Amino acid sequence: MASTEKAKRTFRFPHSYVIIICVLLLACLMTYCIPAGQYQRYQNEEGVTVADPSTFRYVENTPVAPWRVPEQIMASAAKNATTIFSIFIIGGSFGVILATGAFEALTAKLAKIFSGRETWLIPAFTLVFGLATTTMANNQFIGFAPIGVMIAMAFGFDAVVGCGMICLGGAIGFSTGTLNVNTTIIAQQIAELVPFSGLWLRCVSFVIFWFITSAYLVRYAKRVKADPTKSTMYGYSGAGVVEAKPLEEFQQMDRRKVLVLLVVLGCFVWLISGCLKYKWGLDRVSVVFLYMAVLSGLAAGFGPSRIAKEYIAGMKNMTEPAILIAMGCATTLILTEGCVLDTVVRSLAGCIGGLPSFLRAPGMYILQTVTNFFIVAGNAQAAVTMPIMVPVADMVGVSRQTAVLAFNFGDGLSNYILPHSSALMGFIGMAGIPYDRWVRFMAKLFAIWAVTAMVIVAIASAIGYV
């Protein structure tokens, strides 16, 4: 009886929708409590809209009432329509691709090849996706999550491992900002630095974060394989969850499945080359996935009606992550309408000058991390914060290159724990992982990431990184 009562009193993490609504209500409350203020903005020589740090002025408060949250969610859905519909389109495409059984057969093959050496796949996957996202956003690779999950579960791991080795690999590639045009270059332009300068330390940072992330994933994967009850997904069943089954029951490879894999491979080569050469966004990426779905279905011998049926089934599983993205991105709209974003950034930047010299660079990282809660988009965060952080860095004795590095870490790393990050919600939605289960896994790794980032920027400041 006592154990039953104890079980009833056990804390249960709120549903993802509840968390997002609380975040949105907090954003509304901030528009009442924080004085409204604005910087004037202008276009620099490169055409980037930036804030002039000398023009801050307080303006009349324009608070956003809590009952307007649904209105802001709808506005966010309209503004992020491309991202939201892309999630549905990619999900539908993988519904068709997975229904062909080609990846199930491939997984069985890989399991035999890597038998006894399963954990080798984890650092390999994180490295591949880490390198891929050095030049582009991680969102483009959301569609790979179901493949990673299927492979991981076939090896006796869980969905978190499968999603993590792709999602977190991409996270370190993007967050270290080695060759990223949308974040690093914009920040360096604002800081009046040579584009791609300081590359050596960003590359060293990439290697450090790759090693830490791979080691963390491998340790977790081994623990889960030894005892499945240690999995953060243990006991959960819900929409979109990939169910584990014995390898003996997996489909076997045949000519049609080989043809499907060749179609998928060809489409992914097309996709990656388009992203690199033509800077494709999610709209063009989604078109490639549409072609991939149809061609894969035909290669598997599916008729038009079967392709449509499997496509719709795949789209259904994307309903929750798509809605979460619309809800989460409403945060920035609320804070912008309330005119408190600039006030928050200005106040936080003013705190850095009062820190001891060895803590000023880590303080910049913390500032960018806090700012990322309000402005998740990297290029938008660069435009708002870097015009302010550059003169702050000059005044407190931190090099501008270090300020850019702090921006990269602050903008990227926290995206994989924030409940309103479109990249995170896309990945875990594709993998069928609830947000609360992901946080249980990710909290400790993020803490390690944060400490590592602060140590790196502190060293960068100490050696006069330029």
Side-chain angles (χ1 to χ4, degrees), residues 211-444:
F211 179 81
I212 290 171
T213 305
S214 298
Y216 187 89
L217 277 167
V218 168
R219 182 173 178 270
Y220 172 82
K222 286 181 175 179
R223 193 166 70 245
V224 168
K225 186 164 187 176
D227 182 1
T229 64
K230 300 294 185 183
S231 168
T232 60
M233 293 292 288
Y234 182 74
Y236 175 78
S237 60
V241 175
V242 179
E243 296 292 341
K245 63 180 181 179
L247 283 169
E248 295 75 20
E249 297 181 12
F250 275 41
Q251 297 185 46
Q252 299 301 307
M253 192 68 72
D254 56 33
R255 288 184 179 180
R256 282 199 176 275
K257 291 182 177 63
V258 170
L259 185 57
V260 171
L261 291 174
L262 290 174
V263 167
V264 172
L265 177 62
C267 287
F268 273 124
V269 171
W270 178 23
L271 172 75
I272 293 170
S273 62
C275 290
L276 289 173
K277 188 174 181 180
Y278 301 108
K279 311 299 180 188
W280 283 353
L282 271 176
D283 52 349
R284 291 297 183 92
V285 169
S286 300
V287 171
V288 175
F289 271 100
L290 278 171
Y291 278 111
M292 193 188 302
V294 174
L295 294 175
S296 296
L298 294 175
F302 291 176
S305 295
R306 174 76 185 276
I307 293 174
K309 177 184 176 182
E310 300 296 348
Y311 196 91
I312 292 170
M315 290 180 72
K316 286 179 179 178
N317 290 331
M318 294 300 103
T319 303
E320 183 173 338
I323 294 174
L324 282 171
I325 290 170
M327 294 172 68
C329 292
T331 307
T332 303
L333 295 184
I334 292 171
L335 296 173
T336 301
E337 184 176 328
C339 297
V340 298
L341 267 180
D342 289 355
T343 307
V344 171
V345 171
R346 178 174 180 266
S347 299
L348 292 172
C351 297
I352 292 175
L355 295 172
S357 57
F358 69 94
L359 289 178
R360 287 171 185 170
M364 286 184 169
Y365 160 73
I366 293 172
L367 167 62
Q368 296 289 1
T369 300
V370 173
T371 305
N372 197 46
F373 177 86
F374 305 105
I375 313 172
V376 180
N379 49 7
Q381 186 176 338
V384 172
T385 62
M386 289 311 295
I388 302 157
M389 296 309 296
V390 168
V392 169
D394 293 341
M395 288 186 291
V396 301
V398 175
S399 72
R400 294 187 175 192
Q401 200 72 263
T402 302
V404 171
L405 189 64
F407 157 73
N408 279 329
F409 292 161
D411 165 59
L413 297 174
S414 59
N415 282 337
Y416 299 91
I417 200 166
L418 292 177
H420 54 295
S421 165
S422 60
L424 173 60
M425 288 304 168
F427 273 108
I428 64 176
M430 278 281 188
I433 304 170
Y435 176 72
D436 62 305
R437 304 283 177 133
W438 176 261
V439 170
R440 291 183 202 174
F441 160 79
M442 189 64 198
K444 188 182 294 185

Side-chain angles (χ1 to χ4, degrees), residues 125-160:
F125 266 74
T126 56
L127 180 60
V128 167
F129 285 93
L131 292 173
T133 53
T134 57
T135 58
M136 65 185 81
N138 204 9
N139 300 55
Q140 269 88 338
F141 298 99
I142 288 172
F144 285 82
I147 299 173
V149 171
M150 178 176 286
I151 292 173
M153 296 190 74
F155 288 144
F157 306 140
D158 65 2
V160 171

Side-chain angles (χ1 to χ4, degrees), residues 5-223:
E5 291 177 358
K6 184 178 179 181
K8 289 180 179 179
R9 292 195 299 267
T10 301
F11 173 76
R12 297 187 66 183
F13 206 86
H15 190 280
S16 301
Y17 286 4
V18 177
I19 296 170
I20 294 292
I21 291 296
C22 290
V23 170
L24 295 177
L25 292 173
L26 175 62
C28 290
L29 179 63
M30 292 175 65
T31 64
Y32 284 92
C33 300
I34 298 174
Q38 287 182 332
Y39 290 102
Q40 290 183 11
R41 286 169 169 75
Y42 65 95
Q43 280 198 340
N44 62 15
E45 295 178 357
E46 289 75 25
V48 178
T49 301
V50 298
D52 183 345
S54 64
T55 61
F56 182 84
R57 63 187 178 88
Y58 289 103
V59 298
E60 184 179 353
N61 270 64
T62 54
V64 179
W67 53 84
R68 290 189 57 211
V69 164
E71 175 189 332
Q72 298 294 329
I73 292 173
M74 291 305 298
S76 173
K79 185 176 181 180
N80 296 281
T82 299
T83 301
I84 293 167
F85 276 102
S86 293
I87 293 294
F88 279 115
I89 289 169
I90 294 171
S93 298
F94 267 95
V96 177
I97 294 165
L98 295 178
T100 66
F103 277 100
E104 187 174 307
L106 177 63
T107 300
K109 284 280 187 183
L110 288 172
K112 292 178 182 178
I113 294 171
F114 285 93
S115 178
R117 304 188 302 272
E118 295 90 347
T119 53
W120 289 19
L121 280 177
I122 296 172
F125 266 74
T126 56
L127 180 60
V128 167
F129 285 93
L131 292 173
T133 53
T134 57
T135 58
M136 65 185 81
N138 204 9
N139 300 55
Q140 269 88 338
F141 298 99
I142 288 172
F144 285 82
I147 299 173
V149 171
M150 178 176 286
I151 292 173
M153 296 190 74
F155 288 144
F157 306 140
D158 65 2
V160 171
V161 174
C163 179
M165 63 188 185
I166 295 172
C167 170
L168 300 181
I172 60 176
F174 179 84
S175 302
T176 50
T178 49
L179 300 169
N180 200 298
V181 175
N182 289 323
T183 54
T184 303
I185 296 307
I186 291 177
Q188 287 185 325
Q189 286 175 344
I190 296 170
E192 299 178 343
L193 296 170
V194 176
F196 295 118
S197 58
L199 180 62
W200 72 271
L201 186 53
R202 294 197 299 278
C203 289
V204 170
S205 300
F206 174 89
V207 173
I208 292 171
F209 279 104
W210 169 74
F211 179 81
I212 290 171
T213 305
S214 298
Y216 187 89
L217 277 167
V218 168
R219 182 173 178 270
Y220 172 82
K222 286 181 175 179
R223 193 166 70 245

